[in-house]
Amino acid sequence: MARPRATVSVDVDPVDLHLLGYGHRDLPPDPQVYTTALPRLAETFQRAGIRATFFVVGRDGPPHRDRLRELIAAGHEVASHSQSHPLSLASLGDWALARELAESRTTLTSACGAAVVGFRAPNFDMNRRTLRALAEAGYRYDASGFPTPLLLPARLVLAAKSADPAAVLRLTLVPFTLGREPHEIEGVREFPLAVTPLARVPVYHTLRYFTPEPRFFSRLRGFAARGDSLSYVLHAVDALGLGEDRVDPRLAPHPGMKTPLADKLAMLARVLDLIAERFETRTFAERLEDAPAG
């Protein structure tokens, strides 16, 4: 019996942009996710036999082109995570939105030497207007779907942690799609974040820190047993240690940052091994030719 498809993806948000979400502004670009986290992730993916999709902020493409080209040479995909990672992408005006989408695609394509065809919005901040703008900018897929009513509580939790809660609450508060499987919408293929079928519990790496491993693994096995596809999301900072890598201490409230680095990497390796065992893993770009569900 054929295994269901899965894609492991990494939001390559530098430390300074994570801190922006917590209300700390005007910080210089922090290179740690490129110099330290991405090599660790590439090694971990290689051991698990997984080719991943890396969503990269366009501004970081030129200074880190060598690292991105190494990822592509290893069989991974680089896709867009916007040009400047605005906190609330979907609320931008038409001109600013079009620039974020077009400039990031052009910048990353040039830096990587490979076509960029996919997109994930910062903070999963997406709506149908922004999807139409994606199609107009030449993107073929989006991976920003958060198909659960739990999106609103997730926003409230982030607002409670932020030094600028009003900015967080400008994010979209309701999902633009409730489809769990890949589907066509507004001219692009949508690859939604994995959520369970009834309770609509999100299944992504941030929640692994708060969920007992047997329960979390049971949810992953459930996707495989049902034949459901899987979009599993993690962040590049999941491969950084707060103390071990001397990460800006203001990032301490971020999920997983207080977990010892060795434990974080071992936890990630166990998750990836399970995914590799139960699913056929591909990049999102490779899955574009799959027939959409529904």
Side-chain angles (χ1 to χ4, degrees), residues 195-222:
V195 300
T196 59
L198 297 178
R200 295 276 173 156
V201 176
V203 181
Y204 64 109
H205 202 68
T206 298
L207 295 184
R208 173 62 190 87
Y209 298 111
F210 308 107
T211 309
E213 186 163 280
R215 182 183 303 171
F216 195 82
F217 279 17
S218 177
R219 289 173 180 163
L220 286 174
R221 293 189 185 102

PDB file of all heavy atoms in Angstrom, residues 195-222:
ATOM      1  N   VAL A 195      -3.717  19.384  10.424  1.00  0.00           N
ATOM      2  CA  VAL A 195      -4.588  19.423  11.593  1.00  0.00           C
ATOM      3  C   VAL A 195      -5.357  18.107  11.651  1.00  0.00           C
ATOM      4  O   VAL A 195      -5.628  17.489  10.621  1.00  0.00           O
ATOM      5  CB  VAL A 195      -5.575  20.615  11.572  1.00  0.00           C
ATOM      6  CG1 VAL A 195      -4.831  21.943  11.534  1.00  0.00           C
ATOM      7  CG2 VAL A 195      -6.549  20.516  10.412  1.00  0.00           C
ATOM      8  N   THR A 196      -5.706  17.667  12.846  1.00  0.00           N
ATOM      9  CA  THR A 196      -6.445  16.423  12.993  1.00  0.00           C
ATOM     10  C   THR A 196      -7.863  16.598  12.440  1.00  0.00           C
ATOM     11  O   THR A 196      -8.386  17.712  12.370  1.00  0.00           O
ATOM     12  CB  THR A 196      -6.496  15.984  14.460  1.00  0.00           C
ATOM     13  OG1 THR A 196      -7.137  17.015  15.238  1.00  0.00           O
ATOM     14  CG2 THR A 196      -5.096  15.733  15.011  1.00  0.00           C
ATOM     15  N   PRO A 197      -8.527  15.505  12.041  1.00  0.00           N
ATOM     16  CA  PRO A 197      -9.789  15.622  11.304  1.00  0.00           C
ATOM     17  C   PRO A 197     -10.984  16.114  12.112  1.00  0.00           C
ATOM     18  O   PRO A 197     -11.834  16.813  11.560  1.00  0.00           O
ATOM     19  CB  PRO A 197     -10.033  14.206  10.770  1.00  0.00           C
ATOM     20  CG  PRO A 197      -9.236  13.306  11.642  1.00  0.00           C
ATOM     21  CD  PRO A 197      -8.044  14.112  12.069  1.00  0.00           C
ATOM     22  N   LEU A 198     -11.107  15.800  13.365  1.00  0.00           N
ATOM     23  CA  LEU A 198     -12.303  16.164  14.120  1.00  0.00           C
ATOM     24  C   LEU A 198     -12.056  17.357  15.037  1.00  0.00           C
ATOM     25  O   LEU A 198     -12.686  18.402  14.889  1.00  0.00           O
ATOM     26  CB  LEU A 198     -12.800  14.959  14.924  1.00  0.00           C
ATOM     27  CG  LEU A 198     -13.234  13.753  14.087  1.00  0.00           C
ATOM     28  CD1 LEU A 198     -13.666  12.609  14.992  1.00  0.00           C
ATOM     29  CD2 LEU A 198     -14.369  14.135  13.138  1.00  0.00           C
ATOM     30  N   ALA A 199     -11.129  17.231  15.942  1.00  0.00           N
ATOM     31  CA  ALA A 199     -10.841  18.331  16.871  1.00  0.00           C
ATOM     32  C   ALA A 199     -10.066  19.460  16.206  1.00  0.00           C
ATOM     33  O   ALA A 199      -9.969  20.561  16.756  1.00  0.00           O
ATOM     34  CB  ALA A 199     -10.067  17.817  18.075  1.00  0.00           C
ATOM     35  N   ARG A 200      -9.514  19.194  15.023  1.00  0.00           N
ATOM     36  CA  ARG A 200      -8.745  20.200  14.284  1.00  0.00           C
ATOM     37  C   ARG A 200      -7.554  20.712  15.096  1.00  0.00           C
ATOM     38  O   ARG A 200      -7.245  21.906  15.108  1.00  0.00           O
ATOM     39  CB  ARG A 200      -9.641  21.371  13.877  1.00  0.00           C
ATOM     40  CG  ARG A 200     -10.732  20.995  12.878  1.00  0.00           C
ATOM     41  CD  ARG A 200     -10.194  21.026  11.475  1.00  0.00           C
ATOM     42  NE  ARG A 200     -11.152  20.518  10.504  1.00  0.00           N
ATOM     43  CZ  ARG A 200     -11.151  20.829   9.209  1.00  0.00           C
ATOM     44  NH1 ARG A 200     -10.236  21.648   8.740  1.00  0.00           N
ATOM     45  NH2 ARG A 200     -12.024  20.303   8.386  1.00  0.00           N
ATOM     46  N   VAL A 201      -6.884  19.789  15.766  1.00  0.00           N
ATOM     47  CA  VAL A 201      -5.689  20.141  16.523  1.00  0.00           C
ATOM     48  C   VAL A 201      -4.511  20.275  15.566  1.00  0.00           C
ATOM     49  O   VAL A 201      -4.220  19.342  14.805  1.00  0.00           O
ATOM     50  CB  VAL A 201      -5.381  19.071  17.580  1.00  0.00           C
ATOM     51  CG1 VAL A 201      -4.077  19.384  18.308  1.00  0.00           C
ATOM     52  CG2 VAL A 201      -6.533  18.943  18.566  1.00  0.00           C
ATOM     53  N   PRO A 202      -3.820  21.393  15.546  1.00  0.00           N
ATOM     54  CA  PRO A 202      -2.644  21.516  14.671  1.00  0.00           C
ATOM     55  C   PRO A 202      -1.553  20.528  15.089  1.00  0.00           C
ATOM     56  O   PRO A 202      -1.369  20.242  16.271  1.00  0.00           O
ATOM     57  CB  PRO A 202      -2.184  22.964  14.886  1.00  0.00           C
ATOM     58  CG  PRO A 202      -3.362  23.664  15.469  1.00  0.00           C
ATOM     59  CD  PRO A 202      -4.093  22.634  16.280  1.00  0.00           C
ATOM     60  N   VAL A 203      -0.840  20.029  14.077  1.00  0.00           N
ATOM     61  CA  VAL A 203       0.262  19.100  14.329  1.00  0.00           C
ATOM     62  C   VAL A 203       1.501  19.690  13.661  1.00  0.00           C
ATOM     63  O   VAL A 203       1.720  19.511  12.460  1.00  0.00           O
ATOM     64  CB  VAL A 203      -0.045  17.690  13.785  1.00  0.00           C
ATOM     65  CG1 VAL A 203       1.118  16.741  14.079  1.00  0.00           C
ATOM     66  CG2 VAL A 203      -1.329  17.149  14.409  1.00  0.00           C
ATOM     67  N   TYR A 204       2.265  20.453  14.447  1.00  0.00           N
ATOM     68  CA  TYR A 204       3.505  21.032  13.931  1.00  0.00           C
ATOM     69  C   TYR A 204       4.496  21.129  15.076  1.00  0.00           C
ATOM     70  O   TYR A 204       4.150  20.904  16.244  1.00  0.00           O
ATOM     71  CB  TYR A 204       3.281  22.376  13.234  1.00  0.00           C
ATOM     72  CG  TYR A 204       2.763  23.504  14.088  1.00  0.00           C
ATOM     73  CD1 TYR A 204       3.589  24.570  14.422  1.00  0.00           C
ATOM     74  CD2 TYR A 204       1.440  23.537  14.509  1.00  0.00           C
ATOM     75  CE1 TYR A 204       3.113  25.635  15.170  1.00  0.00           C
ATOM     76  CE2 TYR A 204       0.952  24.593  15.257  1.00  0.00           C
ATOM     77  CZ  TYR A 204       1.785  25.632  15.589  1.00  0.00           C
ATOM     78  OH  TYR A 204       1.309  26.679  16.338  1.00  0.00           O
ATOM     79  N   HIS A 205       5.748  21.448  14.752  1.00  0.00           N
ATOM     80  CA  HIS A 205       6.814  21.185  15.706  1.00  0.00           C
ATOM     81  C   HIS A 205       6.750  22.066  16.950  1.00  0.00           C
ATOM     82  O   HIS A 205       7.180  21.644  18.025  1.00  0.00           O
ATOM     83  CB  HIS A 205       8.181  21.312  15.034  1.00  0.00           C
ATOM     84  CG  HIS A 205       9.261  20.573  15.763  1.00  0.00           C
ATOM     85  ND1 HIS A 205       9.307  19.198  15.838  1.00  0.00           N
ATOM     86  CD2 HIS A 205      10.324  21.013  16.485  1.00  0.00           C
ATOM     87  CE1 HIS A 205      10.342  18.812  16.547  1.00  0.00           C
ATOM     88  NE2 HIS A 205      10.980  19.899  16.959  1.00  0.00           N
ATOM     89  N   THR A 206       6.217  23.266  16.837  1.00  0.00           N
ATOM     90  CA  THR A 206       6.116  24.119  18.019  1.00  0.00           C
ATOM     91  C   THR A 206       5.323  23.427  19.125  1.00  0.00           C
ATOM     92  O   THR A 206       5.683  23.502  20.312  1.00  0.00           O
ATOM     93  CB  THR A 206       5.454  25.456  17.661  1.00  0.00           C
ATOM     94  OG1 THR A 206       6.279  26.150  16.705  1.00  0.00           O
ATOM     95  CG2 THR A 206       5.290  26.335  18.882  1.00  0.00           C
ATOM     96  N   LEU A 207       4.250  22.729  18.742  1.00  0.00           N
ATOM     97  CA  LEU A 207       3.417  22.064  19.737  1.00  0.00           C
ATOM     98  C   LEU A 207       4.068  20.808  20.296  1.00  0.00           C
ATOM     99  O   LEU A 207       3.621  20.289  21.320  1.00  0.00           O
ATOM    100  CB  LEU A 207       2.053  21.740  19.137  1.00  0.00           C
ATOM    101  CG  LEU A 207       1.206  22.950  18.751  1.00  0.00           C
ATOM    102  CD1 LEU A 207      -0.155  22.505  18.252  1.00  0.00           C
ATOM    103  CD2 LEU A 207       1.050  23.909  19.939  1.00  0.00           C
ATOM    104  N   ARG A 208       5.113  20.318  19.639  1.00  0.00           N
ATOM    105  CA  ARG A 208       5.796  19.140  20.169  1.00  0.00           C
ATOM    106  C   ARG A 208       6.385  19.429  21.553  1.00  0.00           C
ATOM    107  O   ARG A 208       6.433  18.532  22.408  1.00  0.00           O
ATOM    108  CB  ARG A 208       6.901  18.701  19.190  1.00  0.00           C
ATOM    109  CG  ARG A 208       7.816  17.593  19.688  1.00  0.00           C
ATOM    110  CD  ARG A 208       7.050  16.298  19.962  1.00  0.00           C
ATOM    111  NE  ARG A 208       7.889  15.341  20.660  1.00  0.00           N
ATOM    112  CZ  ARG A 208       8.015  15.290  21.987  1.00  0.00           C
ATOM    113  NH1 ARG A 208       7.358  16.138  22.770  1.00  0.00           N
ATOM    114  NH2 ARG A 208       8.796  14.388  22.553  1.00  0.00           N
ATOM    115  N   TYR A 209       6.790  20.670  21.799  1.00  0.00           N
ATOM    116  CA  TYR A 209       7.384  21.014  23.090  1.00  0.00           C
ATOM    117  C   TYR A 209       6.382  20.923  24.242  1.00  0.00           C
ATOM    118  O   TYR A 209       6.775  20.815  25.404  1.00  0.00           O
ATOM    119  CB  TYR A 209       7.965  22.427  23.038  1.00  0.00           C
ATOM    120  CG  TYR A 209       9.071  22.603  22.031  1.00  0.00           C
ATOM    121  CD1 TYR A 209       8.886  23.384  20.892  1.00  0.00           C
ATOM    122  CD2 TYR A 209      10.300  21.980  22.196  1.00  0.00           C
ATOM    123  CE1 TYR A 209       9.892  23.547  19.959  1.00  0.00           C
ATOM    124  CE2 TYR A 209      11.317  22.131  21.265  1.00  0.00           C
ATOM    125  CZ  TYR A 209      11.107  22.915  20.142  1.00  0.00           C
ATOM    126  OH  TYR A 209      12.100  23.068  19.212  1.00  0.00           O
ATOM    127  N   PHE A 210       5.083  20.997  23.916  1.00  0.00           N
ATOM    128  CA  PHE A 210       4.053  21.020  24.952  1.00  0.00           C
ATOM    129  C   PHE A 210       3.214  19.741  24.987  1.00  0.00           C
ATOM    130  O   PHE A 210       2.280  19.654  25.789  1.00  0.00           O
ATOM    131  CB  PHE A 210       3.118  22.216  24.725  1.00  0.00           C
ATOM    132  CG  PHE A 210       3.833  23.526  24.570  1.00  0.00           C
ATOM    133  CD1 PHE A 210       3.929  24.142  23.325  1.00  0.00           C
ATOM    134  CD2 PHE A 210       4.432  24.136  25.657  1.00  0.00           C
ATOM    135  CE1 PHE A 210       4.592  25.348  23.173  1.00  0.00           C
ATOM    136  CE2 PHE A 210       5.096  25.352  25.517  1.00  0.00           C
ATOM    137  CZ  PHE A 210       5.181  25.948  24.277  1.00  0.00           C
ATOM    138  N   THR A 211       3.533  18.788  24.125  1.00  0.00           N
ATOM    139  CA  THR A 211       2.726  17.583  24.007  1.00  0.00           C
ATOM    140  C   THR A 211       3.571  16.364  24.352  1.00  0.00           C
ATOM    141  O   THR A 211       4.680  16.221  23.832  1.00  0.00           O
ATOM    142  CB  THR A 211       2.195  17.419  22.560  1.00  0.00           C
ATOM    143  OG1 THR A 211       1.576  18.638  22.142  1.00  0.00           O
ATOM    144  CG2 THR A 211       1.188  16.289  22.477  1.00  0.00           C
ATOM    145  N   PRO A 212       3.090  15.483  25.225  1.00  0.00           N
ATOM    146  CA  PRO A 212       3.854  14.263  25.505  1.00  0.00           C
ATOM    147  C   PRO A 212       4.143  13.491  24.222  1.00  0.00           C
ATOM    148  O   PRO A 212       3.292  13.404  23.328  1.00  0.00           O
ATOM    149  CB  PRO A 212       2.925  13.473  26.436  1.00  0.00           C
ATOM    150  CG  PRO A 212       2.042  14.506  27.059  1.00  0.00           C
ATOM    151  CD  PRO A 212       1.844  15.569  26.009  1.00  0.00           C
ATOM    152  N   GLU A 213       5.347  12.952  24.142  1.00  0.00           N
ATOM    153  CA  GLU A 213       5.756  12.302  22.898  1.00  0.00           C
ATOM    154  C   GLU A 213       4.810  11.191  22.456  1.00  0.00           C
ATOM    155  O   GLU A 213       4.478  11.121  21.258  1.00  0.00           O
ATOM    156  CB  GLU A 213       7.183  11.769  23.025  1.00  0.00           C
ATOM    157  CG  GLU A 213       7.735  11.202  21.727  1.00  0.00           C
ATOM    158  CD  GLU A 213       9.233  11.068  21.771  1.00  0.00           C
ATOM    159  OE1 GLU A 213       9.923  12.090  21.566  1.00  0.00           O
ATOM    160  OE2 GLU A 213       9.723   9.943  22.012  1.00  0.00           O
ATOM    161  N   PRO A 214       4.337  10.304  23.330  1.00  0.00           N
ATOM    162  CA  PRO A 214       3.420   9.253  22.844  1.00  0.00           C
ATOM    163  C   PRO A 214       2.162   9.824  22.195  1.00  0.00           C
ATOM    164  O   PRO A 214       1.703   9.300  21.163  1.00  0.00           O
ATOM    165  CB  PRO A 214       3.088   8.466  24.118  1.00  0.00           C
ATOM    166  CG  PRO A 214       4.263   8.680  25.012  1.00  0.00           C
ATOM    167  CD  PRO A 214       4.695  10.092  24.752  1.00  0.00           C
ATOM    168  N   ARG A 215       1.590  10.877  22.782  1.00  0.00           N
ATOM    169  CA  ARG A 215       0.384  11.471  22.197  1.00  0.00           C
ATOM    170  C   ARG A 215       0.695  12.130  20.859  1.00  0.00           C
ATOM    171  O   ARG A 215      -0.050  11.993  19.887  1.00  0.00           O
ATOM    172  CB  ARG A 215      -0.225  12.495  23.154  1.00  0.00           C
ATOM    173  CG  ARG A 215      -1.513  13.127  22.642  1.00  0.00           C
ATOM    174  CD  ARG A 215      -2.029  14.188  23.592  1.00  0.00           C
ATOM    175  NE  ARG A 215      -2.234  13.653  24.924  1.00  0.00           N
ATOM    176  CZ  ARG A 215      -2.509  14.406  25.988  1.00  0.00           C
ATOM    177  NH1 ARG A 215      -2.587  15.732  25.867  1.00  0.00           N
ATOM    178  NH2 ARG A 215      -2.681  13.841  27.169  1.00  0.00           N
ATOM    179  N   PHE A 216       1.820  12.849  20.803  1.00  0.00           N
ATOM    180  CA  PHE A 216       2.183  13.528  19.557  1.00  0.00           C
ATOM    181  C   PHE A 216       2.442  12.514  18.450  1.00  0.00           C
ATOM    182  O   PHE A 216       1.970  12.674  17.317  1.00  0.00           O
ATOM    183  CB  PHE A 216       3.413  14.394  19.794  1.00  0.00           C
ATOM    184  CG  PHE A 216       3.672  15.398  18.707  1.00  0.00           C
ATOM    185  CD1 PHE A 216       2.990  16.603  18.683  1.00  0.00           C
ATOM    186  CD2 PHE A 216       4.600  15.150  17.705  1.00  0.00           C
ATOM    187  CE1 PHE A 216       3.215  17.535  17.673  1.00  0.00           C
ATOM    188  CE2 PHE A 216       4.840  16.071  16.702  1.00  0.00           C
ATOM    189  CZ  PHE A 216       4.152  17.265  16.689  1.00  0.00           C
ATOM    190  N   PHE A 217       3.176  11.461  18.771  1.00  0.00           N
ATOM    191  CA  PHE A 217       3.465  10.435  17.771  1.00  0.00           C
ATOM    192  C   PHE A 217       2.197   9.711  17.350  1.00  0.00           C
ATOM    193  O   PHE A 217       2.056   9.295  16.186  1.00  0.00           O
ATOM    194  CB  PHE A 217       4.489   9.446  18.312  1.00  0.00           C
ATOM    195  CG  PHE A 217       5.918   9.940  18.213  1.00  0.00           C
ATOM    196  CD1 PHE A 217       6.206  11.275  18.019  1.00  0.00           C
ATOM    197  CD2 PHE A 217       6.975   9.056  18.319  1.00  0.00           C
ATOM    198  CE1 PHE A 217       7.507  11.733  17.922  1.00  0.00           C
ATOM    199  CE2 PHE A 217       8.291   9.494  18.222  1.00  0.00           C
ATOM    200  CZ  PHE A 217       8.556  10.833  18.031  1.00  0.00           C
ATOM    201  N   SER A 218       1.256   9.521  18.275  1.00  0.00           N
ATOM    202  CA  SER A 218      -0.009   8.890  17.923  1.00  0.00           C
ATOM    203  C   SER A 218      -0.759   9.717  16.884  1.00  0.00           C
ATOM    204  O   SER A 218      -1.361   9.164  15.956  1.00  0.00           O
ATOM    205  CB  SER A 218      -0.863   8.705  19.176  1.00  0.00           C
ATOM    206  OG  SER A 218      -2.122   8.161  18.865  1.00  0.00           O
ATOM    207  N   ARG A 219      -0.704  11.040  17.019  1.00  0.00           N
ATOM    208  CA  ARG A 219      -1.355  11.904  16.026  1.00  0.00           C
ATOM    209  C   ARG A 219      -0.687  11.770  14.668  1.00  0.00           C
ATOM    210  O   ARG A 219      -1.363  11.690  13.637  1.00  0.00           O
ATOM    211  CB  ARG A 219      -1.334  13.352  16.505  1.00  0.00           C
ATOM    212  CG  ARG A 219      -2.269  13.620  17.669  1.00  0.00           C
ATOM    213  CD  ARG A 219      -2.097  15.011  18.228  1.00  0.00           C
ATOM    214  NE  ARG A 219      -3.003  15.245  19.357  1.00  0.00           N
ATOM    215  CZ  ARG A 219      -2.880  16.217  20.237  1.00  0.00           C
ATOM    216  NH1 ARG A 219      -1.861  17.082  20.122  1.00  0.00           N
ATOM    217  NH2 ARG A 219      -3.733  16.355  21.228  1.00  0.00           N
ATOM    218  N   LEU A 220       0.640  11.735  14.653  1.00  0.00           N
ATOM    219  CA  LEU A 220       1.338  11.565  13.376  1.00  0.00           C
ATOM    220  C   LEU A 220       0.997  10.222  12.741  1.00  0.00           C
ATOM    221  O   LEU A 220       0.741  10.127  11.531  1.00  0.00           O
ATOM    222  CB  LEU A 220       2.844  11.681  13.586  1.00  0.00           C
ATOM    223  CG  LEU A 220       3.414  13.084  13.828  1.00  0.00           C
ATOM    224  CD1 LEU A 220       4.900  12.998  14.153  1.00  0.00           C
ATOM    225  CD2 LEU A 220       3.184  13.980  12.622  1.00  0.00           C
ATOM    226  N   ARG A 221       0.984   9.164  13.536  1.00  0.00           N
ATOM    227  CA  ARG A 221       0.645   7.839  13.007  1.00  0.00           C
ATOM    228  C   ARG A 221      -0.795   7.818  12.499  1.00  0.00           C
ATOM    229  O   ARG A 221      -1.113   7.100  11.542  1.00  0.00           O
ATOM    230  CB  ARG A 221       0.853   6.776  14.080  1.00  0.00           C
ATOM    231  CG  ARG A 221       2.309   6.563  14.478  1.00  0.00           C
ATOM    232  CD  ARG A 221       2.455   5.352  15.391  1.00  0.00           C
ATOM    233  NE  ARG A 221       3.824   5.203  15.871  1.00  0.00           N
ATOM    234  CZ  ARG A 221       4.245   5.560  17.080  1.00  0.00           C
ATOM    235  NH1 ARG A 221       3.381   6.076  17.959  1.00  0.00           N
ATOM    236  NH2 ARG A 221       5.508   5.391  17.431  1.00  0.00           N
ATOM    237  N   GLY A 222      -1.664   8.601  13.147  1.00  0.00           N
ATOM    238  CA  GLY A 222      -3.044   8.668  12.689  1.00  0.00           C
ATOM    239  C   GLY A 222      -3.159   9.208  11.270  1.00  0.00           C
ATOM    240  O   GLY A 222      -3.961   8.717  10.471  1.00  0.00           O
TER     241      GLY A 222
END
